[in-house]
Amino acid sequence: MQAVPKTQESTLRAMEAIVGANACRTGEADTQAYVTDYRGIYRGQAQVVVLPSSTEQVSQVLQWCHANRVPVVPQGGNTSLMGGAVPDDSGTAVVVNLSRMNRVLEVDTINDTMTVQAGVTLSAARGAAEAEGRLFPLRIGSEGSCQIGGNLSTNAGGTAVLRYGNMRDLVLGIEAVLPDGRIFSSLRGLRKDNTGYDLKQLFIGAEGTLGIITGAVLKLMPQPRSTAVALVAVKGPAAAVALLGEAKRLSGQAVSAFELISRPALELVLEYLGNVAAPLQDRHDWMVLVELTSGTDAESLNATLMEILESGFGQGLVLDAAVAASLSDVQTFWRIREEISDAQTRTGGSIKCDVSVPLSRIAAFVEEASAGVLALVPDARMVIYGHMGDGNVHFNPLRPRDQAAKDFLAQWYEPVSTLVDGLAYAGNGSVSAEHGIGVAKRDDLVRYKSQVELELMWQVKRALDPMNLLNPGKVLPAP
Ligand code: MLT
Ligand code: ZN
């Protein structure tokens, strides 16, 4: 059903009555940051942006919007790469931004859980866990701004999935407000609870289309006692996968990250950072950032890393390696990896494919997709990087230096993403491994999901949000 726009005045008055005038934003200047995504690609409009401070307020906002058929766009740190957290340009929506719900409610060091409001940033959640000697292991580049509610709504992944899993694996309970204002809660911190459907799963990865997540119980892990990191030049993607096998064999559970970095990705980020020296002396086509963490002492972990590298050299998989000798080296190596995304944003003209295939196929996928793209665009800079250890690569061909970003995207976005996504799909993969769907990939789902899957998605949506008021136009392609 079409949402009926209300006049801004009546909506504003209603919202002010619920959250207070100081927690409402209207007008272009004051809403700009909430209606534009952080890459500046998706720009919408809102009747009003509200910043509730409690679950009860979120519930009242949704009750009012439901009664008045006003669409609602939930928003956390607004770091979505897919346009999932900003409204469309109709100006009918109320944006509900969770930033003020930023309290860590409890850290339970016996249950090894942490209860948080949804607006807690990922870095604050990690910090609160660390203060109690625990690790909350989700690690993504935007941790300073992204929020736990958004991490859950997109089932965020990042660089530690190989060891600890996605956000879905890191949560025990959720509180969410339904489109009609009812509050669903499973904030119990149980590791076992087989009492029927696991309803919290519905809200994870739903990108705010089924409810607004307002709180969560997260799993905590022991803080590792030692970390060993190396940037390793490898013979190629297949050698990288073989090296990962060696790393697992020789270290048991200690591999906590295994990130692929192509030469154009490294060159781009070093150019962007300006004052950071290349860790490896020679230029190599393929590198991996390997991180081991463990509960053992640093000496034995370093010895394990050396053993892995020696085995890699011995088998001709490894060409060179820079082992981090200090905390500052560790930080620099990680900075190089994590800034690749921003380096692309600043350069502009990046075709951001976020694909996964089973690990057994990832090397062949990277080779085939690279050859396919270069056959189309011989001068494209093949910025390929990311979480190879869990089968997910960010395959992001970048515009040639002499082509303007908008011309490159107009000419190549469609053919290149169709080719790359098509190869991933053909290899039993996913066309959105960790970034979600938002609006960017919504219409592609028709190609990559079966009729049954699409029908079920719509049936779930209609069951929870029959008036299509929550984050309309996101995730689900037209029925
Ligand atoms: C990353 O791994 O750096 C993120 O997923 C962001 C990105 O791909 O742009
Ligand atoms: Zn990523």
Side-chain angles (χ1 to χ4, degrees):
M1 189 183 296
Q2 264 313 91
V4 180
K6 302 292 287 184
T7 62
Q8 185 169 300
E9 286 72 26
S10 62
T11 308
L12 180 59
R13 273 197 301 276
M15 294 301 114
E16 283 177 347
I18 297 168
V19 299
N22 63 349
C24 292
R25 308 278 180 274
T26 54
E28 211 181 316
D30 287 352
T31 59
Q32 195 59 25
Y34 305 94
V35 298
T36 308
D37 79 314
Y38 96 104
R39 288 196 296 154
I41 293 176
Y42 301 95
R43 291 165 203 275
Q45 292 186 62
Q47 291 201 61
V48 51
V49 176
V50 295
L51 293 97
S53 59
S54 67
T55 302
E56 193 46 47
Q57 286 187 0
V58 176
S59 166
Q60 286 176 28
V61 167
L62 290 201
Q63 268 174 50
W64 187 90
C65 289
H66 187 257
N68 292 277
R69 294 186 185 169
V70 170
V72 172
V73 175
Q75 187 178 78
N78 196 10
T79 58
S80 168
L81 294 167
M82 314 305 279
V86 288
D88 65 18
D89 58 9
S90 67
T92 55
V94 166
V95 171
V96 178
N97 180 289
L98 279 287
S99 302
R100 289 175 70 216
M101 292 181 59
N102 59 359
R103 282 188 303 134
V104 173
L105 302 172
E106 185 192 26
V107 180
D108 181 340
T109 53
I110 296 174
N111 200 36
D112 274 330
T113 52
M114 176 164 67
T115 306
V116 299
Q117 290 185 309
V120 169
T121 61
L122 175 55
S123 61
R126 284 173 59 91
E130 196 175 342
E132 297 294 337
R134 300 294 186 276
L135 173 73
F136 179 63
L138 188 80
R139 189 167 60 180
I140 57 181
S142 56
E143 69 167 72
S145 346
C146 67
Q147 297 171 9
I148 294 298
N151 297 149
L152 284 161
S153 294
T154 56
N155 187 26
T159 54
V161 169
L162 165 66
R163 171 83 159 271
Y164 297 104
N166 294 289
M167 196 61 179
R168 194 183 293 281
D169 304 299
L170 301 175
V171 63
L172 294 176
I174 273 181
E175 178 188 76
V177 180
L178 302 180
D180 59 9
R182 283 177 297 159
I183 299 169
F184 160 85
S185 179
S186 65
L187 293 181
R188 285 186 296 274
L190 300 176
R191 286 177 174 77
K192 287 189 164 180
D193 178 18
N194 283 348
T195 51
Y197 301 154
D198 187 358
L199 295 171
K200 71 174 180 296
Q201 298 295 344
L202 283 174
F203 303 96
I204 303 170
E207 300 185 38
T209 59
L210 300 177
I212 299 187
I213 295 175
T214 47
V217 180
L218 306 174
K219 287 185 197 170
L220 300 178
M221 316 289 165
Q223 268 288 347
R225 285 174 58 209
S226 53
T227 302
V229 174
L231 186 69
V232 185
V234 288
K235 217 169 136 197
V241 174
L243 182 67
L244 174 62
E246 277 302 272
K248 286 176 178 169
R249 186 177 70 80
L250 293 165
S251 79
Q253 296 289 312
V255 189
S256 51
F258 196 89
E259 296 281 312
L260 183 71
I261 303 177
S262 70
R263 176 156 145 184
L266 183 72
E267 287 174 352
L268 182 79
V269 75
L270 290 177
E271 202 177 305
Y272 170 71
L273 294 173
N275 56 356
V276 174
L280 294 162
Q281 217 167 15
D282 296 332
R283 299 167 84 199
H284 298 277
D285 286 345
W286 295 102
M287 286 140 284
V288 281
L289 179 62
V290 183
E291 183 189 81
L292 308 181
T293 51
S294 86
T296 63
D297 61 284
E299 208 178 313
S300 65
L301 194 66
N302 284 332
T304 305
L305 178 61
M306 295 318 291
E307 201 185 346
I308 293 165
L309 294 176
E310 275 158 25
S311 168
F313 274 117
Q315 294 179 50
L317 308 171
V318 171
L319 305 175
D320 195 4
V323 177
S326 62
L327 182 60
S328 141
D329 281 353
V330 170
Q331 285 164 347
T332 303
F333 289 10
W334 270 111
R335 192 164 163 229
I336 288 171
R337 161 61 191 91
E338 281 178 345
E339 297 280 355
I340 296 172
S341 180
D342 280 354
Q344 290 178 95
T345 304
R346 197 199 52 176
T347 310
S350 171
I351 301 173
K352 289 186 78 73
C353 301
D354 164 38
V355 292
S356 62
V357 291
L359 201 47
S360 41
R361 299 181 117 124
I362 191 93
F365 166 80
V366 169
E367 302 278 16
E368 270 176 61
S370 301
V373 171
L374 286 171
L376 288 175
V377 204
D379 296 339
R381 286 174 277 176
M382 301 302 286
V383 175
I384 301 165
Y385 64 101
H387 325 300
M388 186 182 230
D390 63 47
N392 170 204
V393 286
H394 300 307
F395 195 101
N396 299 350
L398 180 69
R399 67 175 170 84
R401 284 182 191 277
D402 57 0
Q403 189 171 20
K406 90 173 169 358
D407 298 341
F408 174 72
L409 293 176
Q411 188 177 1
W412 293 116
Y413 182 85
E414 194 53 42
V416 166
S417 55
T418 303
L419 176 106
V420 175
D421 288 352
L423 282 171
Y425 182 68
N428 265 337
S430 167
V431 299
S432 185
E434 63 168 10
H435 292 166
I437 299 298
V439 280
K441 283 263 171 213
R442 179 194 58 194
D443 296 328
D444 293 348
L445 283 197
V446 177
R447 240 178 286 169
Y448 302 116
K449 289 257 181 207
S450 69
Q451 194 55 35
V452 173
E453 286 172 305
L454 291 171
E455 276 166 21
L456 284 175
M457 281 171 70
W458 267 111
Q459 280 171 5
V460 172
K461 172 72 172 171
R462 287 195 191 102
L464 272 81
D465 184 17
M467 290 196 285
N468 191 18
L469 292 176
L470 262 205
N471 221 2
K474 312 288 167 47
V475 183
L476 296 133

